[in-house]
Amino acid sequence: MTLDLSTAIDPTDLAIGARIRNRREALRITQAQLAAGSAVTFQQIQKYERGVNRVSAARLLQIAAVLKTTGADLLGELETGADDLALATPGAVALLTAFRRIEDGETRDAVLSIVQTLAAAGSSVASLPFDDDRSFQRMAAN
């Protein structure tokens, strides 16, 4: 089986889209509002944020103006690293947003420990050292 490179999403486009989405969400701007200010449809904003469509330089500057930032901030580094793509992972922004709302340091440490354990176990809850699912749910609730 061969990979069709014409349909593969470029990591740079994905990283730029993630930065647009993160900034938009931080400002609590909807995709429709960003689209209206950028003279495109909200569907186009969705495609930019997912990295499906490449943002032109002129459009990037329009989007940056609506988002009250610079084109350079949305472009990021010229080299795209794994950290740039981490926020593009589904659920990553929601997890980070929720984590930031946890005020107690011990609770943050406990959540971090749970997430690290899940990651080390290959995201398989079944392989974690809990007696049953209720034990895991009680730990996660605390």
Side-chain angles (χ1 to χ4, degrees), residues 44-104:
Q44 187 61 49
I45 296 296
Q46 288 175 332
K47 291 176 183 179
Y48 290 154
E49 290 184 357
R50 289 192 325 253
V52 174
N53 285 8
R54 181 164 290 158
V55 185
S56 71
R59 186 74 63 210
L60 185 73
L61 293 176
Q62 287 177 313
I63 290 171
V66 174
L67 296 177
K68 299 176 180 146
T69 189
T70 65
D73 283 340
L74 296 178
L75 281 175
E77 294 292 325
L78 294 177
E79 295 293 322
T80 302
D83 290 342
D84 288 338
L85 298 179
L87 290 177
T89 304
V93 173
L95 179 64
L96 183 58
T97 300
F99 186 79
R100 289 178 54 202
R101 288 194 312 254
I102 300 171
E103 294 181 13
D104 180 61

